[in-house]
Every structure is written in C-alpha cells, then in structure tokens.
Amino acid sequence: MAAKRARLIYNPTSGREEMKRRLPDVLQRLERGGLETSTHATVGEGDATLAAAEAVERGFDIIIAAGGDGTLYEVINGMAEKENRPPLGIIPLGTTNDFARALGIPRHWDAAVDVILQQYTVAIDVGKVNHRYFINIAGGGSLTELTYEVPSKLKTMIGQLAYYMKGLEKLPRLRPIKLNIMTDAGEMQEEVMLFLISNSNSVGGFERLAPDASLSDGLFDMLILRKCTLPEFIRVVTLALRGEHLDDPNIIYLQTKFVQVTSPDYVQINLDGEFGGTLPCVFTNLPRHLHIFVDETGQSSYKQTGLPLPHLPNLPNLQQLNLKLPWKHKGGHDEDEQDKQDKE
C-alpha cells in the first residue's frame, strides 16, 4: 500500500526558530510512521493560506500546520472552503497555542508528531465570519486587539508576558462600545467592553473562560462583558482565572449557532489572534466541518513531554461509542518548565 502524502506547512519564525532546527528530525519521524512528507516554509502574511489551498487542490492526504495560532488560522482559511478537506495535524510552536491546548495536543514536537501518526481524528466545528474562517475564538473590543498589536519579536523574546504587558498599558484607556447583537435567542442592545465568540474552552491562555464549550456541538459560546468600571473589570478578570466569572452581573453568557453584530462605533474584529476586519459581521457555526488529529486515548496533554505516545490500533472506535474524551485540562500552564525541556 502506497504511503500517505502529507504537506507540512511551517512558520520558520515560530517557537524561537525551533522548527528550523528540528525539521530533519520531524521529517524522519513522519517518514518512519508511513507519511511521505513535503514541506512549505511560509514567507509572509497569507502565505500559509495559499499553501494550504494548493495542498488541498493537489490531493494531499494530510495537511500539517506547524507554528502558532496565527499559522493555524491561515491554514484553516486555505482549507475551509474546499469541498474535499484532508485531515489536519498540528505541531504547536507559538506563544499561547490556544487550540492545541484545548485539544490536548502536546507542545513538544515529537509527542505532537506521534499524535498525527496515530491517525485518529475528530470532527470539529469551524466558525465563518463574512468571508473568513476561525477555529477557536472571535471577538471585538479594545483588549481583543492585543494579539495583533504585540510585536512578533517581543512575543518571541518574552512569550505570553508580552500580552499581559500590553494589556496593562491599555487598561486605563478602555472604553465601552455600543453593539446591536442578534442571536438564536433574540436581539439585544448593549454598551460593552468586549465580546468573545468561542469555539473551545481555551482562550488567550485562559483555560476556563468558556468552561462548557465543546468543539463539536455546533454551538458558539458567547461571552459579553457589559460596560463597567476599571475595578469591576479587574474583578471579572480575576474571577475568569478561576472559571467563576459566568455568574458575575457584568457578564452575559449564551450559546448560539448564529451571531450578527453591528455597531455605530468603529470596532475591529479579532479572529484566532489575527486582524479579521471590522463590524458589521455575521458569525455562523459550521458543524463538524474539519477533521483534526488527536490522541485516541484522550490521555495526552499540551504540557506533555517528548515521550512517545502508546500506539493502540486494537482499541474500539471511541467516536462510535459516543464517549466524551477528557481533552479539557485544568490547572496552570507551566511554560517555564516546558521551555527548559525544549532547550534540552
């Protein structure tokens, strides 16, 4: 039987250039696992989208995105409109890697490759916004602009701390925006500090921001922070760190398949950490639109080290058994320890 053909799309500037150094090892591991893999190194904004679209058109069996959430966002946008979409593997190399964290895809490169080699996929929802797509989070409001305002060099140097520094800088200038929001539940007009439309439970490094979110239920989890004072805002953020914010009176929380948002104000939209245009926008959930490689046992985690995962080909198909796999992992991020392991 012929080997499956995979196209590895990677960002050479992600992960302190970790992929550049590890590329021969990654390709060797994929080849030993039965994947005939060719590579594409991205050269600028939008290049990963073009490369992913080309890989689909050329009939590759698998597409692998190696980089941060921005690289993954571009790859999704190259695949989502195609009719015959191959399954997607992820090697997380970015600063926060929200989507990989939500799915329990290991941050360490060889454990992430082993997840792909298990050849087990789950179907996940994809969000469509006007003519763009997102896989994890969409939002609007001053703080949602942080991810594309923080310089890439600063993110590479100090990681997620760069976002916190920029956030503290913006806090005194936070201003509410006027929104008209229409969902499955009806219409509302609110003055808000920000709104988030989430597909997973992991957003901006907060693993409990949308604790009930599921990647395959056909629903968005929408969080709206009403107009509030700076002390109230800080209190809500503190509660969100513990996953206790949904009962706060300043929070509106709902689940919906469809969201339409308009505003008399100028409001930028953030899609998976990238600039996604401005309001007005229509957000639509595309149920189970894309297949992603995950650990069949549900035992892997984002913080997993480079130890090989067990290959268990005789396990029953867990999707057919309709079991809920424990992909949602709680607790701290332990980034410093992982960085030490990566350097070793």
Side-chain angles (χ1 to χ4, degrees):
M1 188 173 66
K4 288 188 176 181
R5 296 167 59 237
R7 171 54 62 92
L8 171 65
I9 301 169
Y10 72 97
N11 183 347
T13 64
S14 286
R16 303 183 181 93
E17 300 191 348
E18 174 75 7
M19 193 61 187
K20 267 184 163 180
R21 184 166 60 90
R22 291 293 188 185
L23 186 57
D25 298 326
V26 170
L27 292 177
Q28 184 181 61
R29 200 175 187 93
L30 289 168
E31 183 179 0
R32 287 178 175 174
L35 297 184
E36 182 183 295
T37 308
S38 61
T39 64
H40 178 96
T42 59
V43 295
E45 184 178 351
D47 189 50
T49 296
L50 296 175
E54 180 190 33
V56 175
E57 293 296 332
R58 291 178 58 184
F60 278 89
D61 301 299
I62 294 169
I63 294 176
I64 302 170
D69 290 324
T71 302
L72 182 58
Y73 166 74
E74 288 198 7
V75 168
I76 294 300
N77 274 271
M79 299 176 64
E81 285 200 348
K82 303 297 183 181
E83 184 175 352
N84 298 310
R85 299 174 295 277
L88 176 65
I90 300 171
I91 302 176
L93 300 176
T95 304
T96 54
N97 302 305
D98 275 326
F99 191 71
R101 193 186 302 271
L103 278 175
I105 296 172
R107 185 183 178 201
H108 202 285
W109 71 270
D110 58 353
V113 168
D114 282 344
V115 168
I116 296 169
L117 293 179
Q118 287 185 37
Q119 296 289 288
Y120 181 81
T121 65
V122 292
I124 59 98
D125 304 337
V126 172
K128 184 174 183 179
V129 188
N130 297 347
H131 301 294
R132 297 173 185 255
Y133 298 86
F134 68 97
I135 202 170
N136 195 57
I137 183 69
S142 296
L143 280 182
T144 65
E145 300 165 12
L146 290 179
T147 48
Y148 47 84
E149 285 187 356
V150 176
S152 296
K153 188 173 183 180
L154 186 61
K155 286 191 285 187
T156 300
M157 290 171 60
I158 62 175
Q160 199 164 341
L161 179 61
Y163 295 120
Y164 300 145
M165 290 170 58
K166 191 70 175 179
L168 290 173
E169 177 187 313
K170 292 177 74 78
L171 279 181
R173 304 198 306 272
L174 283 179
R175 296 290 181 271
I177 52 179
K178 296 179 180 178
L179 296 183
N180 184 81
I181 302 169
M182 185 176 295
T183 70
D184 297 345
E187 190 173 0
M188 68 181 90
Q189 290 82 36
E190 291 281 348
E191 282 192 273
V192 312
M193 308 305 288
L194 60 87
F195 70 92
L196 298 171
I197 299 170
S198 178
N199 198 28
S200 84
N201 66 311
S202 180
V203 179
F206 288 73
E207 295 186 36
R208 305 178 189 179
L209 200 61
D212 297 325
S214 167
L215 283 160
S216 57
D217 62 356
L219 296 171
F220 294 129
D221 285 56
M222 186 170 189
L223 291 160
I224 302 167
L225 176 60
R226 288 188 169 106
K227 177 182 177 181
C228 60
T229 65
L230 185 57
E232 289 173 330
F233 176 81
I234 294 172
R235 186 193 74 237
V236 171
V237 171
T238 303
L239 290 171
L241 288 169
R242 303 195 300 264
E244 300 172 358
H245 55 295
L246 296 186
D247 293 328
D248 189 278
N250 289 305
I251 292 288
I252 300 173
Y253 167 74
L254 56 94
Q255 292 183 314
T256 181
K257 299 176 184 177
F258 163 89
V259 184
Q260 179 178 300
V261 186
T262 60
S263 176
D265 301 321
Y266 176 81
V267 181
Q268 296 182 358
I269 298 301
N270 182 311
L271 301 179
D272 288 338
E274 303 298 314
F275 176 69
T278 60
L279 292 181
C281 283
V282 175
F283 303 82
T284 307
N285 190 293
L286 305 179
R288 303 173 67 82
H289 191 69
L290 198 63
H291 284 80
I292 307 286
F293 290 110
V294 299
D295 175 24
E296 184 173 15
T297 70
Q299 295 175 0
S300 67
S301 73
Y302 175 72
K303 293 183 286 185
Q304 184 169 332
T305 62
L307 299 175
L309 293 171
H311 293 273
L312 302 172
N314 296 322
L315 279 177
N317 189 314
L318 301 186
Q319 289 166 308
Q320 292 178 354
L321 294 177
N322 197 28
L323 297 179
K324 186 175 181 181
L325 297 179
W327 291 317
K328 299 179 182 178
H329 301 276
K330 299 181 180 180
H333 297 160
D334 200 15
E335 301 286 350
D336 292 339
E337 184 62 30
Q338 182 63 61
D339 287 340
K340 292 177 185 177
Q341 293 167 353
D342 289 346
K343 290 177 182 177
E344 294 172 359

